Structures are given as structure tokens and as C-alpha cells.
Amino acid sequence: MIAENRRARAHIDIPLIMLVSMMSIFGVLAVCVATFSPASEAETWLAHIVESSYAMRQCFFLLLAPIIVVVIMNIPFHIIRRFTKLVYIGASGLVLFTLVTNGAEGVKAWTDVIWGMTIQPSEFIKLAMILMLAQELAKSEQPMSTIKEFGRIMALILVPGVIILASGETGSLIVIIFLAAVMMFFSNVNMKLLLTLAAIVVLLILAVYGFVIATGVEDYRINRILAFLNPELSPLDDAYQMRQSQIAIGSGGTTGIGRFVDGAMSQLNYVPADWTDFIYSTIGEAWGFVGCILVLLMYLFIILRMLYLARFTYDKFGMLVIIGVLGMLLFHVFENIGMTLGLMPITGIPLPFLSYGGSNMTTNMGGIALVLNVTKNRSLSAAISAPQTNTPTVRYIRRR
């Protein structure tokens, strides 16, 4: 057996499991530090975790994660293909249901479940979108080459996208657009078409931004963008979270001020939501520059490992599923860390495996489970319904 076939063999990818597990365990510790109470008398890590209700809930999500991974990983691959459309419709319907039934003002992205717990359906639509786009893009060697194909794929993105935008979840919409673009790139969509679509999206964003500025409409999303562009000229409330995050990360220095330190910004809640979207500021303060770099390296290893697995997956549907999950995680990491450093506007996007939240953890683990399912069921010899190619998973280049 040649080396390439060995790399393309069906297997359960242990390195990916280990990387994700280490990040998730570290996430519990980071949430525990972020929610450390000034009145705490705990002396050990375990005592601090037990004392923090958020850390305990994160432990519950972490214990639930292996069940999610095992269940999804062991679903027969042909069943996933067959019910992809049903999953997409169900997830879109759940997002619409949340929008219609939610009586809250502003963001209407959460729905009550039981015992005061809520779920965020816009997280689940990301996985449904990955599966649906992978199925559509895998139907031909060069997708979106006809008007009919172009219209169908655009509709698949826009229908749930409009619902998500109406619910106030701009961050999730941007994630979907990004992962769709990445999947199109790797599925051999014409490069000129991709650049044209990118230009249209940019022009639409600028048009909406200009309209809001011209009419003076008050919107928290526009205020966040203005705070990012001109933090010194923006009202204190709009730029407060970003400024406090930068101060917290800067105060950590090279190795951090320590984990449970009286008077720390994380302890005194100077950074709002520092256990969810701004968990990276807690890591920067407690573990310093070294901790921040180690987190980035771990994410880099996860992304590169998934790219390696996609590179040697010759079933186009399976390859695009891996690429979609990769794109989802990549944008989450890029945007979240960027906004905590003041390099990107605040969008409310959590940091994968580290931020507190059950819906986010479930979505990320579900994505990893889909990747493991692909590698577990891939084969060079088995006949399957999706198109196969012996061309490695790189951008197709036309010969002159």
C-alpha cells in the first residue's frame, strides 16, 4: 500500500480528539477563573470549580460532549447523506420558531427549554448549512456553473440567513457566509464568480451602513462598528467592553498575574461577559502572552489537522463537510480573538471549546463528530453515491 493510500485509510482520528479534548478541559478552567468570586475561600482548582455555577455547567456540557460525538460519529454515512435536507429544514424551522415566539426586544436568538435553560438555534443551523452545501456542491465537478445551480445554492444560504439576520444574530450570519465561501473555494467554483459575490457582499454592507448613518437610525450593531472604527470618539458604553478587554490582556504581561488573584479584572467583573464571548481576555490576564500564544497554537494544530484529513478524503461530500467545519471554527477563532484585541468589531461570536455555553459547545462538538464520521467511513474502494476524485483537496487549476 502506498503512503497516500495509508493517509486516506478509514480510521478514528485520535490526534484530533486529543487536541479538542485538551482545549475543552482548559475551557472549564478558564471559565472558572473568569467567574472567580471575591468572597471565595476555596484553595484548590476543584473547589473553585465546584464553587462556580458557570464552571459546573461547563463541566456538564463537557461530559455531554463525548455522548454527542459518539452518537454522530456512529451514524451510518449514507444516513447522513439521505437526511441532510430534513436536518436543514428542521434547523431553519427552529430558528424561525424562535424568532416568532420570542417576545424579547433586540436579539431574539434564544428559546427556553427547561429549568431556566435556553438554547440558541442559530448555532445549530451552521452544521445544517455545512451538510446541505456539501451535498449540493458535491453534485458536479464545477458547481454553480449554471443559473439554476447558482440560484439554488444562493437560496439555501439566503433563506436561513434572512431569518437569522431578523433575529439579530449578525455574527452567526457572517459565520455562515464565510464557511459557505470556503466550501465554494474548495469545491472548484469559478474564481471570478467567487470574487464577484464577495464584491457584492461588501457593497451591500457598505450600502446598509451608509443608509443607517444617513438616516440616523439607532442600532447596536452599527454602534459596535462605529466603536471599532473610532473608539476614542464613541460613547463610553459602546467601546467599554473592547477597551476593558485590551486592558485585561495587556495587564497579563508575559506569564500572567495568576489564576485566582484578589483584585484581578476578571474577579471584579471589569470585562463584561469575560466567561463567554470575552474569555480570551481572562486567559490573557491570568496566563499572559504565553497562555495566549499556546491557545493560538492549539487552534492552529486543530485547523491544520482537519486540513490534512480533508486533503486525503477523496469523497467530495465528505471532504466538503470537513472543510465546512474547518471554515466555521476558523472564523470563530479569528473574529473572537480579533474583537477581544480590538482588531475586529464586536459581533458576539464565542471562542470554540473555551467560551461558556451549551449550544456553542454542542455545535462545535457536533462539527468535530462529523469530521470523525467522515474519516471513519471514507474509502478509496467502496462505491458510494457522491462523486469521487483522485485529485487531492487543493484548489483546482485550469491548464492553459
Side-chain angles (χ1 to χ4, degrees), residues 54 57-58 60-62 64-65 68 110 117-120 123-124 276 350 355-366:
Y54 287 102
R57 289 184 184 181
Q58 192 74 352
F60 172 75
F61 300 146
L62 183 58
L64 188 64
I68 297 172
W110 289 269
M117 299 181 68
T118 60
I119 61 172
Q120 190 177 357
E123 287 287 331
F124 308 140
T276 55
S355 293
Y356 168 83
S359 299
N360 175 50
M361 179 68 78
T362 301
T363 300
N364 294 328
M365 288 299 180

PDB file of all heavy atoms in Angstrom, residues 54 57-58 60-62 64-65 68 110 117-120 123-124 276 350 355-366:
ATOM      1  N   TYR A  54     -21.157  28.537  36.828  1.00  0.00           N
ATOM      2  CA  TYR A  54     -20.859  28.517  35.394  1.00  0.00           C
ATOM      3  C   TYR A  54     -19.856  27.413  35.061  1.00  0.00           C
ATOM      4  O   TYR A  54     -19.993  26.717  34.044  1.00  0.00           O
ATOM      5  CB  TYR A  54     -20.320  29.872  34.945  1.00  0.00           C
ATOM      6  CG  TYR A  54     -21.358  30.953  34.884  1.00  0.00           C
ATOM      7  CD1 TYR A  54     -21.443  31.915  35.894  1.00  0.00           C
ATOM      8  CD2 TYR A  54     -22.261  31.026  33.831  1.00  0.00           C
ATOM      9  CE1 TYR A  54     -22.403  32.922  35.846  1.00  0.00           C
ATOM     10  CE2 TYR A  54     -23.219  32.026  33.774  1.00  0.00           C
ATOM     11  CZ  TYR A  54     -23.287  32.973  34.790  1.00  0.00           C
ATOM     12  OH  TYR A  54     -24.237  33.954  34.744  1.00  0.00           O
ATOM     13  N   ARG A  57     -21.652  24.083  35.163  1.00  0.00           N
ATOM     14  CA  ARG A  57     -22.458  23.875  33.954  1.00  0.00           C
ATOM     15  C   ARG A  57     -21.563  23.545  32.756  1.00  0.00           C
ATOM     16  O   ARG A  57     -21.921  22.698  31.931  1.00  0.00           O
ATOM     17  CB  ARG A  57     -23.289  25.128  33.659  1.00  0.00           C
ATOM     18  CG  ARG A  57     -24.427  25.357  34.629  1.00  0.00           C
ATOM     19  CD  ARG A  57     -25.256  26.561  34.202  1.00  0.00           C
ATOM     20  NE  ARG A  57     -26.303  26.866  35.155  1.00  0.00           N
ATOM     21  CZ  ARG A  57     -27.172  27.861  35.012  1.00  0.00           C
ATOM     22  NH1 ARG A  57     -27.094  28.658  33.936  1.00  0.00           N
ATOM     23  NH2 ARG A  57     -28.101  28.087  35.913  1.00  0.00           N
ATOM     24  N   GLN A  58     -20.413  24.207  32.700  1.00  0.00           N
ATOM     25  CA  GLN A  58     -19.491  23.901  31.607  1.00  0.00           C
ATOM     26  C   GLN A  58     -18.974  22.479  31.726  1.00  0.00           C
ATOM     27  O   GLN A  58     -18.754  21.802  30.703  1.00  0.00           O
ATOM     28  CB  GLN A  58     -18.334  24.905  31.610  1.00  0.00           C
ATOM     29  CG  GLN A  58     -17.460  24.879  30.377  1.00  0.00           C
ATOM     30  CD  GLN A  58     -18.125  25.503  29.157  1.00  0.00           C
ATOM     31  OE1 GLN A  58     -19.319  25.832  29.173  1.00  0.00           O
ATOM     32  NE2 GLN A  58     -17.370  25.673  28.084  1.00  0.00           N
ATOM     33  N   PHE A  60     -20.731  20.052  32.907  1.00  0.00           N
ATOM     34  CA  PHE A  60     -21.847  19.234  32.412  1.00  0.00           C
ATOM     35  C   PHE A  60     -21.835  19.174  30.888  1.00  0.00           C
ATOM     36  O   PHE A  60     -22.011  18.103  30.293  1.00  0.00           O
ATOM     37  CB  PHE A  60     -23.172  19.813  32.912  1.00  0.00           C
ATOM     38  CG  PHE A  60     -24.384  19.167  32.302  1.00  0.00           C
ATOM     39  CD1 PHE A  60     -24.792  17.902  32.701  1.00  0.00           C
ATOM     40  CD2 PHE A  60     -25.116  19.821  31.315  1.00  0.00           C
ATOM     41  CE1 PHE A  60     -25.901  17.295  32.132  1.00  0.00           C
ATOM     42  CE2 PHE A  60     -26.223  19.232  30.738  1.00  0.00           C
ATOM     43  CZ  PHE A  60     -26.619  17.959  31.147  1.00  0.00           C
ATOM     44  N   PHE A  61     -21.614  20.339  30.239  1.00  0.00           N
ATOM     45  CA  PHE A  61     -21.544  20.357  28.775  1.00  0.00           C
ATOM     46  C   PHE A  61     -20.381  19.502  28.281  1.00  0.00           C
ATOM     47  O   PHE A  61     -20.487  18.812  27.262  1.00  0.00           O
ATOM     48  CB  PHE A  61     -21.384  21.795  28.270  1.00  0.00           C
ATOM     49  CG  PHE A  61     -22.498  22.720  28.660  1.00  0.00           C
ATOM     50  CD1 PHE A  61     -22.251  24.064  28.933  1.00  0.00           C
ATOM     51  CD2 PHE A  61     -23.794  22.255  28.766  1.00  0.00           C
ATOM     52  CE1 PHE A  61     -23.268  24.917  29.295  1.00  0.00           C
ATOM     53  CE2 PHE A  61     -24.838  23.105  29.136  1.00  0.00           C
ATOM     54  CZ  PHE A  61     -24.570  24.437  29.407  1.00  0.00           C
ATOM     55  N   LEU A  62     -19.266  19.556  29.027  1.00  0.00           N
ATOM     56  CA  LEU A  62     -18.081  18.790  28.642  1.00  0.00           C
ATOM     57  C   LEU A  62     -18.324  17.286  28.786  1.00  0.00           C
ATOM     58  O   LEU A  62     -17.860  16.489  27.961  1.00  0.00           O
ATOM     59  CB  LEU A  62     -16.889  19.211  29.501  1.00  0.00           C
ATOM     60  CG  LEU A  62     -15.539  18.550  29.185  1.00  0.00           C
ATOM     61  CD1 LEU A  62     -15.140  18.812  27.746  1.00  0.00           C
ATOM     62  CD2 LEU A  62     -14.462  19.068  30.132  1.00  0.00           C
ATOM     63  N   LEU A  64     -21.242  15.923  28.502  1.00  0.00           N
ATOM     64  CA  LEU A  64     -22.226  15.586  27.478  1.00  0.00           C
ATOM     65  C   LEU A  64     -21.589  15.468  26.098  1.00  0.00           C
ATOM     66  O   LEU A  64     -22.093  14.740  25.230  1.00  0.00           O
ATOM     67  CB  LEU A  64     -23.323  16.670  27.458  1.00  0.00           C
ATOM     68  CG  LEU A  64     -24.559  16.419  26.591  1.00  0.00           C
ATOM     69  CD1 LEU A  64     -25.329  15.205  27.110  1.00  0.00           C
ATOM     70  CD2 LEU A  64     -25.458  17.653  26.582  1.00  0.00           C
ATOM     71  N   ALA A  65     -20.459  16.146  25.897  1.00  0.00           N
ATOM     72  CA  ALA A  65     -19.804  16.189  24.591  1.00  0.00           C
ATOM     73  C   ALA A  65     -19.425  14.815  24.049  1.00  0.00           C
ATOM     74  O   ALA A  65     -19.686  14.530  22.865  1.00  0.00           O
ATOM     75  CB  ALA A  65     -18.577  17.095  24.657  1.00  0.00           C
ATOM     76  N   ILE A  68     -22.396  13.147  22.489  1.00  0.00           N
ATOM     77  CA  ILE A  68     -22.745  13.746  21.194  1.00  0.00           C
ATOM     78  C   ILE A  68     -21.804  13.249  20.108  1.00  0.00           C
ATOM     79  O   ILE A  68     -22.242  12.862  19.009  1.00  0.00           O
ATOM     80  CB  ILE A  68     -22.692  15.281  21.298  1.00  0.00           C
ATOM     81  CG1 ILE A  68     -23.735  15.789  22.288  1.00  0.00           C
ATOM     82  CG2 ILE A  68     -22.889  15.919  19.923  1.00  0.00           C
ATOM     83  CD1 ILE A  68     -23.612  17.263  22.597  1.00  0.00           C
ATOM     84  N   TRP A 110     -32.513  33.182  21.362  1.00  0.00           N
ATOM     85  CA  TRP A 110     -32.574  32.118  22.354  1.00  0.00           C
ATOM     86  C   TRP A 110     -34.015  31.726  22.625  1.00  0.00           C
ATOM     87  O   TRP A 110     -34.933  32.559  22.579  1.00  0.00           O
ATOM     88  CB  TRP A 110     -31.932  32.573  23.672  1.00  0.00           C
ATOM     89  CG  TRP A 110     -30.448  32.705  23.607  1.00  0.00           C
ATOM     90  CD1 TRP A 110     -29.514  31.752  23.890  1.00  0.00           C
ATOM     91  CD2 TRP A 110     -29.714  33.855  23.196  1.00  0.00           C
ATOM     92  NE1 TRP A 110     -28.242  32.239  23.694  1.00  0.00           N
ATOM     93  CE2 TRP A 110     -28.332  33.531  23.269  1.00  0.00           C
ATOM     94  CE3 TRP A 110     -30.067  35.143  22.785  1.00  0.00           C
ATOM     95  CZ2 TRP A 110     -27.336  34.430  22.956  1.00  0.00           C
ATOM     96  CZ3 TRP A 110     -29.081  36.033  22.463  1.00  0.00           C
ATOM     97  CH2 TRP A 110     -27.726  35.677  22.546  1.00  0.00           C
ATOM     98  N   MET A 117     -33.099  26.915  31.440  1.00  0.00           N
ATOM     99  CA  MET A 117     -32.038  26.784  30.442  1.00  0.00           C
ATOM    100  C   MET A 117     -32.570  27.164  29.062  1.00  0.00           C
ATOM    101  O   MET A 117     -33.753  26.987  28.772  1.00  0.00           O
ATOM    102  CB  MET A 117     -31.498  25.348  30.424  1.00  0.00           C
ATOM    103  CG  MET A 117     -30.883  24.911  31.734  1.00  0.00           C
ATOM    104  SD  MET A 117     -30.221  23.227  31.663  1.00  0.00           S
ATOM    105  CE  MET A 117     -28.839  23.456  30.541  1.00  0.00           C
ATOM    106  N   THR A 118     -31.684  27.716  28.235  1.00  0.00           N
ATOM    107  CA  THR A 118     -32.062  28.138  26.890  1.00  0.00           C
ATOM    108  C   THR A 118     -31.137  27.516  25.858  1.00  0.00           C
ATOM    109  O   THR A 118     -30.036  27.059  26.181  1.00  0.00           O
ATOM    110  CB  THR A 118     -31.983  29.675  26.763  1.00  0.00           C
ATOM    111  OG1 THR A 118     -30.637  30.099  27.029  1.00  0.00           O
ATOM    112  CG2 THR A 118     -32.933  30.353  27.734  1.00  0.00           C
ATOM    113  N   ILE A 119     -31.582  27.482  24.615  1.00  0.00           N
ATOM    114  CA  ILE A 119     -30.751  27.042  23.504  1.00  0.00           C
ATOM    115  C   ILE A 119     -30.721  28.144  22.451  1.00  0.00           C
ATOM    116  O   ILE A 119     -31.602  29.000  22.401  1.00  0.00           O
ATOM    117  CB  ILE A 119     -31.241  25.723  22.874  1.00  0.00           C
ATOM    118  CG1 ILE A 119     -32.666  25.896  22.311  1.00  0.00           C
ATOM    119  CG2 ILE A 119     -31.172  24.587  23.852  1.00  0.00           C
ATOM    120  CD1 ILE A 119     -33.142  24.701  21.504  1.00  0.00           C
ATOM    121  N   GLN A 120     -29.706  28.110  21.627  1.00  0.00           N
ATOM    122  CA  GLN A 120     -29.521  29.096  20.568  1.00  0.00           C
ATOM    123  C   GLN A 120     -29.554  28.376  19.218  1.00  0.00           C
ATOM    124  O   GLN A 120     -28.531  27.887  18.734  1.00  0.00           O
ATOM    125  CB  GLN A 120     -28.190  29.826  20.764  1.00  0.00           C
ATOM    126  CG  GLN A 120     -28.006  31.025  19.868  1.00  0.00           C
ATOM    127  CD  GLN A 120     -26.702  31.753  20.170  1.00  0.00           C
ATOM    128  OE1 GLN A 120     -25.967  31.392  21.094  1.00  0.00           O
ATOM    129  NE2 GLN A 120     -26.412  32.798  19.398  1.00  0.00           N
ATOM    130  N   GLU A 123     -26.979  28.514  16.283  1.00  0.00           N
ATOM    131  CA  GLU A 123     -25.742  27.739  16.321  1.00  0.00           C
ATOM    132  C   GLU A 123     -25.902  26.446  15.522  1.00  0.00           C
ATOM    133  O   GLU A 123     -25.009  26.038  14.780  1.00  0.00           O
ATOM    134  CB  GLU A 123     -25.357  27.423  17.766  1.00  0.00           C
ATOM    135  CG  GLU A 123     -24.819  28.597  18.556  1.00  0.00           C
ATOM    136  CD  GLU A 123     -23.417  28.988  18.122  1.00  0.00           C
ATOM    137  OE1 GLU A 123     -22.669  28.112  17.665  1.00  0.00           O
ATOM    138  OE2 GLU A 123     -23.082  30.175  18.234  1.00  0.00           O
ATOM    139  N   PHE A 124     -27.054  25.795  15.676  1.00  0.00           N
ATOM    140  CA  PHE A 124     -27.265  24.500  15.030  1.00  0.00           C
ATOM    141  C   PHE A 124     -27.404  24.617  13.511  1.00  0.00           C
ATOM    142  O   PHE A 124     -27.089  23.680  12.778  1.00  0.00           O
ATOM    143  CB  PHE A 124     -28.507  23.813  15.612  1.00  0.00           C
ATOM    144  CG  PHE A 124     -28.491  23.720  17.118  1.00  0.00           C
ATOM    145  CD1 PHE A 124     -29.640  23.924  17.861  1.00  0.00           C
ATOM    146  CD2 PHE A 124     -27.317  23.446  17.796  1.00  0.00           C
ATOM    147  CE1 PHE A 124     -29.621  23.836  19.248  1.00  0.00           C
ATOM    148  CE2 PHE A 124     -27.281  23.360  19.183  1.00  0.00           C
ATOM    149  CZ  PHE A 124     -28.445  23.564  19.913  1.00  0.00           C
ATOM    150  N   THR A 276     -17.808  34.214  28.559  1.00  0.00           N
ATOM    151  CA  THR A 276     -18.431  33.746  27.310  1.00  0.00           C
ATOM    152  C   THR A 276     -17.634  34.283  26.113  1.00  0.00           C
ATOM    153  O   THR A 276     -16.600  33.745  25.763  1.00  0.00           O
ATOM    154  CB  THR A 276     -19.900  34.184  27.237  1.00  0.00           C
ATOM    155  OG1 THR A 276     -19.983  35.616  27.409  1.00  0.00           O
ATOM    156  CG2 THR A 276     -20.721  33.531  28.342  1.00  0.00           C
ATOM    157  N   PRO A 350     -18.710  33.386  20.038  1.00  0.00           N
ATOM    158  CA  PRO A 350     -17.932  32.740  21.103  1.00  0.00           C
ATOM    159  C   PRO A 350     -16.656  32.086  20.578  1.00  0.00           C
ATOM    160  O   PRO A 350     -16.511  31.844  19.382  1.00  0.00           O
ATOM    161  CB  PRO A 350     -18.897  31.691  21.660  1.00  0.00           C
ATOM    162  CG  PRO A 350     -19.794  31.370  20.507  1.00  0.00           C
ATOM    163  CD  PRO A 350     -19.934  32.641  19.718  1.00  0.00           C
ATOM    164  N   SER A 355     -15.305  29.218  25.358  1.00  0.00           N
ATOM    165  CA  SER A 355     -16.373  30.068  25.875  1.00  0.00           C
ATOM    166  C   SER A 355     -17.467  29.234  26.535  1.00  0.00           C
ATOM    167  O   SER A 355     -17.771  28.118  26.094  1.00  0.00           O
ATOM    168  CB  SER A 355     -16.980  30.907  24.750  1.00  0.00           C
ATOM    169  OG  SER A 355     -16.063  31.852  24.268  1.00  0.00           O
ATOM    170  N   TYR A 356     -18.067  29.798  27.567  1.00  0.00           N
ATOM    171  CA  TYR A 356     -19.181  29.133  28.237  1.00  0.00           C
ATOM    172  C   TYR A 356     -20.397  29.110  27.315  1.00  0.00           C
ATOM    173  O   TYR A 356     -20.685  30.087  26.633  1.00  0.00           O
ATOM    174  CB  TYR A 356     -19.525  29.877  29.528  1.00  0.00           C
ATOM    175  CG  TYR A 356     -20.836  29.451  30.142  1.00  0.00           C
ATOM    176  CD1 TYR A 356     -20.904  28.318  30.945  1.00  0.00           C
ATOM    177  CD2 TYR A 356     -21.997  30.169  29.907  1.00  0.00           C
ATOM    178  CE1 TYR A 356     -22.107  27.916  31.504  1.00  0.00           C
ATOM    179  CE2 TYR A 356     -23.203  29.785  30.458  1.00  0.00           C
ATOM    180  CZ  TYR A 356     -23.255  28.660  31.256  1.00  0.00           C
ATOM    181  OH  TYR A 356     -24.459  28.256  31.799  1.00  0.00           O
ATOM    182  N   GLY A 357     -21.105  28.006  27.297  1.00  0.00           N
ATOM    183  CA  GLY A 357     -22.340  27.919  26.521  1.00  0.00           C
ATOM    184  C   GLY A 357     -22.597  26.533  25.998  1.00  0.00           C
ATOM    185  O   GLY A 357     -21.713  25.914  25.390  1.00  0.00           O
ATOM    186  N   GLY A 358     -23.803  26.027  26.248  1.00  0.00           N
ATOM    187  CA  GLY A 358     -24.151  24.675  25.816  1.00  0.00           C
ATOM    188  C   GLY A 358     -24.378  24.562  24.324  1.00  0.00           C
ATOM    189  O   GLY A 358     -23.940  23.593  23.690  1.00  0.00           O
ATOM    190  N   SER A 359     -25.073  25.541  23.732  1.00  0.00           N
ATOM    191  CA  SER A 359     -25.352  25.481  22.296  1.00  0.00           C
ATOM    192  C   SER A 359     -24.063  25.554  21.491  1.00  0.00           C
ATOM    193  O   SER A 359     -23.877  24.830  20.506  1.00  0.00           O
ATOM    194  CB  SER A 359     -26.291  26.625  21.891  1.00  0.00           C
ATOM    195  OG  SER A 359     -27.526  26.530  22.567  1.00  0.00           O
ATOM    196  N   ASN A 360     -23.171  26.437  21.904  1.00  0.00           N
ATOM    197  CA  ASN A 360     -21.893  26.588  21.221  1.00  0.00           C
ATOM    198  C   ASN A 360     -21.058  25.314  21.342  1.00  0.00           C
ATOM    199  O   ASN A 360     -20.480  24.832  20.354  1.00  0.00           O
ATOM    200  CB  ASN A 360     -21.135  27.778  21.822  1.00  0.00           C
ATOM    201  CG  ASN A 360     -19.747  27.938  21.259  1.00  0.00           C
ATOM    202  OD1 ASN A 360     -19.537  27.938  20.055  1.00  0.00           O
ATOM    203  ND2 ASN A 360     -18.770  28.067  22.139  1.00  0.00           N
ATOM    204  N   MET A 361     -20.988  24.748  22.548  1.00  0.00           N
ATOM    205  CA  MET A 361     -20.225  23.521  22.755  1.00  0.00           C
ATOM    206  C   MET A 361     -20.811  22.364  21.943  1.00  0.00           C
ATOM    207  O   MET A 361     -20.079  21.585  21.324  1.00  0.00           O
ATOM    208  CB  MET A 361     -20.199  23.160  24.238  1.00  0.00           C
ATOM    209  CG  MET A 361     -19.455  21.875  24.571  1.00  0.00           C
ATOM    210  SD  MET A 361     -17.669  21.992  24.293  1.00  0.00           S
ATOM    211  CE  MET A 361     -17.187  22.916  25.765  1.00  0.00           C
ATOM    212  N   THR A 362     -22.148  22.264  21.938  1.00  0.00           N
ATOM    213  CA  THR A 362     -22.806  21.196  21.187  1.00  0.00           C
ATOM    214  C   THR A 362     -22.526  21.309  19.694  1.00  0.00           C
ATOM    215  O   THR A 362     -22.245  20.311  19.019  1.00  0.00           O
ATOM    216  CB  THR A 362     -24.324  21.239  21.430  1.00  0.00           C
ATOM    217  OG1 THR A 362     -24.587  21.087  22.833  1.00  0.00           O
ATOM    218  CG2 THR A 362     -25.032  20.128  20.667  1.00  0.00           C
ATOM    219  N   THR A 363     -22.577  22.541  19.163  1.00  0.00           N
ATOM    220  CA  THR A 363     -22.316  22.758  17.739  1.00  0.00           C
ATOM    221  C   THR A 363     -20.882  22.414  17.378  1.00  0.00           C
ATOM    222  O   THR A 363     -20.622  21.732  16.377  1.00  0.00           O
ATOM    223  CB  THR A 363     -22.613  24.222  17.366  1.00  0.00           C
ATOM    224  OG1 THR A 363     -23.981  24.514  17.644  1.00  0.00           O
ATOM    225  CG2 THR A 363     -22.340  24.466  15.896  1.00  0.00           C
ATOM    226  N   ASN A 364     -19.934  22.876  18.188  1.00  0.00           N
ATOM    227  CA  ASN A 364     -18.523  22.603  17.901  1.00  0.00           C
ATOM    228  C   ASN A 364     -18.220  21.109  17.983  1.00  0.00           C
ATOM    229  O   ASN A 364     -17.517  20.557  17.126  1.00  0.00           O
ATOM    230  CB  ASN A 364     -17.634  23.372  18.871  1.00  0.00           C
ATOM    231  CG  ASN A 364     -17.721  24.876  18.675  1.00  0.00           C
ATOM    232  OD1 ASN A 364     -17.931  25.355  17.566  1.00  0.00           O
ATOM    233  ND2 ASN A 364     -17.581  25.624  19.749  1.00  0.00           N
ATOM    234  N   MET A 365     -18.733  20.444  19.015  1.00  0.00           N
ATOM    235  CA  MET A 365     -18.506  19.009  19.154  1.00  0.00           C
ATOM    236  C   MET A 365     -19.227  18.233  18.056  1.00  0.00           C
ATOM    237  O   MET A 365     -18.727  17.214  17.566  1.00  0.00           O
ATOM    238  CB  MET A 365     -18.963  18.538  20.533  1.00  0.00           C
ATOM    239  CG  MET A 365     -18.069  18.994  21.667  1.00  0.00           C
ATOM    240  SD  MET A 365     -16.387  18.341  21.475  1.00  0.00           S
ATOM    241  CE  MET A 365     -15.596  19.041  22.926  1.00  0.00           C
ATOM    242  N   GLY A 366     -20.403  18.731  17.666  1.00  0.00           N
ATOM    243  CA  GLY A 366     -21.103  18.094  16.554  1.00  0.00           C
ATOM    244  C   GLY A 366     -20.324  18.199  15.262  1.00  0.00           C
ATOM    245  O   GLY A 366     -20.274  17.259  14.464  1.00  0.00           O
TER     246      GLY A 366
END
